């Protein structure tokens, strides 16, 4: 059986790296005595895969991990047990059963929502709302991205699905996943560059709010939160 | 909102910020309203090392079980954060509450190795606590030291208010009680130190004066305060099956050096190797009850989620119910996907059978610690491991499918000759030859023998405390003798030889047997920028040599000088149970190449029976 677990990463937990979150979660599963399946071999490991790594310094209300189990209790009880053995700032939010042939969370990821705020005393010195509209009205937003081996040009425009002021900060819906992953800090630094400024790394407080996959219903493609691909276990 | 001592700007520019935020699984949280004594427990090295230390976890559990006491942790900030904290004048803080250490009642520092001494000064300095005990005021925590290096506390005596000698489980309830009583009646720092100086196992350095002879040796070590005892007896816990042990050990987010459950099966060692300090200071041997250990193992695995458990002791093969314990662990834990990591067991058919069940033979290697290259020298050091035992063990293991062997030696041991040194190469060769005695068709690849040698450092409270230590040059020339002989061996291509750094060994020698005068060296080195000396990347021998000469210290006096039998040692005021007479007898036996039977075979009257328990005591009654 495949299970998809959603959890949050709040407060000081933003300083725990993705690799350490993976190790942490293996121990959560052990402490909760989840009947997880193991790989074959002399050093078997838990069958577990994470949807999308979160950078150091970001908080999140939507981290996803898929696991494979031999048997399971209902969602409500499983949540209770998992939260009892979790640290308070990384609560487990949902525990859903997937279909046996379900696509891995990692492969599904297509978009993510972010809430971004400027850190105190790092606010922009120009009209930011105005800058967003002129930024988004362009036909293309070309930036050069440096990778280890080369530099390549990418157009951010088609990867920004939404970008607007929201509750003392900004809401963004951006392309995510293995093909076109766009980080919110890249959008902000492009916007700063557009205004002849450079963005200091530390300026932004970023929270991931949701991660989506694409689901086809009635011939129409829709962004669906990863947890909605599964069902609660009664 | 959460509270952190360090702002995001700093946490996001240092390596592994998770070292500084606390909040790990099983961290103890207490409401400060219910707390009247705050204890900061420190391991003066980086988080991943400190978090791996069992003693801290035991004491953390113990203190936090005391009502009104809140024990928190603090480790050495890594060099990147060290620099930033100095630059921004940020005081060192405890992980749990993130409050400054300076605001605590106690700062307890465990001292596990000599090369952490500059890190102790780093901790004090970053906490804004005066380095010297004499300069501290009522605003400063009481600074307590403990751990193996406290058995010669003199080189660091001036930096501590108190040392606890022995096992902490025994003494801290009294220390806390006296602290509260003293505070309740309006007593100050000095009156607390006077009261606490009366407890067994407590040493208050400022209450003692040392005078020296013209030749630099100690003339007298006498109390200058009526509350201070002449002799301080270590405290140990006799019943290890009814005491504190953390059922819910802390589980760090970042990978600690020990990323596993650690099960301490016994304390002390029956073997009596003459170079080994642990083998003397932890006497008598005390085992934990097997049922207690079984329950603990299951409970700790459940509460941590660790996927590995490891047994801890000085010599696990000597635990009387080892077979039953291992069989239980394999039956109970193996199918739950828990790995069992074995300490270096004596290699025999039983241990090989166990190892084949819990380890991947192809990847694992056999470990032997002959310590010396010849039987003669092994008799000198009382290492009861014969060449025949090693070769028989290897033969068995090679037939069982192993083909990697590690051999550990020491160079510079008392009475060592060129043929003893060459013996290291020759024994390595014999091990390799043993492999090729197996018929060709049954061998799995080539054999790999790794021989490593460390340099012998005489330690206090060992029969070798009188011995001379080699100079750096002498150490290196002995390593060359071994290496040259290695090159003449038939199977030299299967043998790898490596040796430790010699300069750091010499310094360890100075600090291990140093007196109060040596404290100036540590101060100078720290002021010159030395920290993390236990880390090869940071150790700076030139700065240390400068620190020694600036302090007017003669290195050879402390290292290469053989001591007179009647010399007063800086640590003589400590009573570890084992007597100086016994150690002298053993020093003499060493020189005469006499082997002394182990504690299980025959009691040697070392003195540790004074604690009224342990294996030697029980066998007599």
């Amino acid at each position: 059986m495949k299970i998809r677990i959603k959890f949050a990463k709040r407060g000081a937990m933003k300083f725990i790296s993705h690799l350490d979150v993976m190790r942490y979660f293996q121990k959560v599963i052990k402490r909760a005595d989840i009947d997880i399946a193991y790989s074959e071999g002399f050093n078997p490991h838990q069958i577990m895969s994470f949807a999308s790594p979160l950078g150091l310094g970001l908080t999140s209300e939507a981290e996803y991990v898929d696991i494979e189990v031999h048997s399971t209790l209902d969602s409500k009880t499983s949540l209770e047990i998992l939260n009892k053995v979790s640290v308070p700032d990384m609560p487990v939010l949902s525990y859903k059963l997937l279909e046996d042939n379900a696509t891995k969370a990692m492969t599904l990821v297509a978009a993510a929502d972010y809430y971004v705020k400027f850190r105190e005393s790092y606010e922009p010195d120009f009209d930011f709302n105005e800058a967003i509209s002129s930024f988004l009205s362009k036909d293309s937003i070309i930036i050069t991205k440096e990778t280890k081996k080369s530099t390549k040009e990418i157009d951010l425009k088609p990867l920004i699905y939404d970008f607007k002021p929201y509750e003392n900060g900004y809401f963004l819906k951006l392309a995510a996943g293995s093909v076109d992953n766009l980080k919110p800090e890249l959008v902000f630094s492009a916007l700063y560059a557009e205004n002849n400024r450079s963005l200091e790394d530390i300026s932004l407080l970023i929270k991931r709010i949701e991660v989506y996959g694409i689901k086809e219903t009635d011939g129409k493609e829709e962004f669906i939160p990863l947890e909605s691909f599964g069902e609660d276990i009664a | 909102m959460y509270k952190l001592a360090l702002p995001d700007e700093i946490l996001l520019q240092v390596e592994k910020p998770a070292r500084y935020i606390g909040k790990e699984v099983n961290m103890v949280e207490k409401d400060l309203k219910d707390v009247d004594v705050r204890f900061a427990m420190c391991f003066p090295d980086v988080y991943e090392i400190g978090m791996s230390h069992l003693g801290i976890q035991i004491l953390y559990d113990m203190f936090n079980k005391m009502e009104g006491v809140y024990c928190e942790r603090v480790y050495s900030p890594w060099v990147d954060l060290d620099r930033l904290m100095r630059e921004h004048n940020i005081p060192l803080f405890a992980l749990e509450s993130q409050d400054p250490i300076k605001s605590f009642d106690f700062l307890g520092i465990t001292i596990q190795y000599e090369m952490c001494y500059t890190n102790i000064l780093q901790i004090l300095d970053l906490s804004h606590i005066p380095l010297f005990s004499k300069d501290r005021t009522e605003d400063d925590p009481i600074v307590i030291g403990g751990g193996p290096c406290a058995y010669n506390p003199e080189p660091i005596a001036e930096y501590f208010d108190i040392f606890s000698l022995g096992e902490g489980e025994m003494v801290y309830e009294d220390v806390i009680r006296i602290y509260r009583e003293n505070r309740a009646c309006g007593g100050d720092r000095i009156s607390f130190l006077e009261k606490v100086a009366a407890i067994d196992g407590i040493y208050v350095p400022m209450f003692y004066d040392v005078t020296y002879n013209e030749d630099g040796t100690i003339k007298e070590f006498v109390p200058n305060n009526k509350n201070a005892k002449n002799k301080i007896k270590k405290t140990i816990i006799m019943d290890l099956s009814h005491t504190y042990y953390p059922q819910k050990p802390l589980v760090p987010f970042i990978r600690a050096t020990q990323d596993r459950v650690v099960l301490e099966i016994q304390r002390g060692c029956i073997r009596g190797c003459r170079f080994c300090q642990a083998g003397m200071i932890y006497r008598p041997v005390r085992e934990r009850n097997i049922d207690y250990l079984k329950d603990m193992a299951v409970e700790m695995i459940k509460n941590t989620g660790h996927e590995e458990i490891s047994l801890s002791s000085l010599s696990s093969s000597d635990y009387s119910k080892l077979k039953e314990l291992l069989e239980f662990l394999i039956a109970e834990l193996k199918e739950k996907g828990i790995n069992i990591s074995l300490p270096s067991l004596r290699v025999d058919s039983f241990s090989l059978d166990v190892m084949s069940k819990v380890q991947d033979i192809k990847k694992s290697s056999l470990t032997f610690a002959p310590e010396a290259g010849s039987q003669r020298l092994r008799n000198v050091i009382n290492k009861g491991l014969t060449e025949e035992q090693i070769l028989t063990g290897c033969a068995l293991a090679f037939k069982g499918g192993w083909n990697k062997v590690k051999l550990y030696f020491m160079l510079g041991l008392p009475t060592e000759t060129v043929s003893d040194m060459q013996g290291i190469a020759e024994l390595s060769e014999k091990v390799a030859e043993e492999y090729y005695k197996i018929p060709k068709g049954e061998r799995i690849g080539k054999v790999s023998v790794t021989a490593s040698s460390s340099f012998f450092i005489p330690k206090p409270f060992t029969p070798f405390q009188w011995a001379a230590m080699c100079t750096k040059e002498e150490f290196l020339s002995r390593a060359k003798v071994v290496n040259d002989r290695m090159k003449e061996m038939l199977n030299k291509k299967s043998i790898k030889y490596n040796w430790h750094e010699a300069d750091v060994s010499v310094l360890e020698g100075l600090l291990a047997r140093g007196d109060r005068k040596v404290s100036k060296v540590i101060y100078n080195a720290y002021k010159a920028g030395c920290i993390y000396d236990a880390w090869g990347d940071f150790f700076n021998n030139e700065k240390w040599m400068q620190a020694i000469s600036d302090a007017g210290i003669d290195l050879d006096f402390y290292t290469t000088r053989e001591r007179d039998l009647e010399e007063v040692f800086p640590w003589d005021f400590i009573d570890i149970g084992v007597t100086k007479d016994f150690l002298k007898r053993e020093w003499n036996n060493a020189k005469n190449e006499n082997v002394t039977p182990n504690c299980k075979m025959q009691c040697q009257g070392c003195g540790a029976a004074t604690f009224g328990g342990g294996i030697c005591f029980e066998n007599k009654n």
Side-chain angles (χ1 to χ4, degrees), chain B residues 321-334:
Chain B
K321 300 215 166 73
L322 183 71
K323 189 161 184 276
E324 185 185 339
L325 182 62
L326 286 174
E327 278 165 1
F328 170 84
L329 293 178
I330 290 170
E332 192 72 13
L333 301 175
K334 195 69 190 145

Side-chain angles (χ1 to χ4, degrees), chain B residues 93-109:
Chain B
F93 52 90
L95 295 181
E96 277 73 4
S97 65
Q98 301 276 313
D99 286 338
I101 301 300
K102 176 120 175 150
S103 67
F104 280 64
D105 297 286
F106 291 97
L107 168 59
I109 303 178

Side-chain angles (χ1 to χ4, degrees), chain B residues 230-241:
Chain B
N230 283 317
K231 197 97 177 160
I232 292 159
K233 191 173 180 177
K234 76 172 181 192
T235 55
I236 57 165
I237 180 146
M238 295 313 298
D239 182 358
L240 280 174
S241 308

Side-chain angles (χ1 to χ4, degrees), chain B residues 199-237:
Chain B
I199 315 179
D200 266 348
I202 294 290
Y203 167 50
V204 181
M206 67 160 70
F207 293 159
Y208 297 82
D209 290 325
V210 194
T211 52
Y212 299 93
N213 296 312
E214 263 176 39
D215 64 2
T217 56
I218 293 175
K219 188 175 176 194
E220 263 191 322
F221 180 92
V222 281
N224 60 28
N225 185 297
K226 62 176 167 34
N227 297 292
K229 304 171 291 276
N230 283 317
K231 197 97 177 160
I232 292 159
K233 191 173 180 177
K234 76 172 181 192
T235 55
I236 57 165
I237 180 146

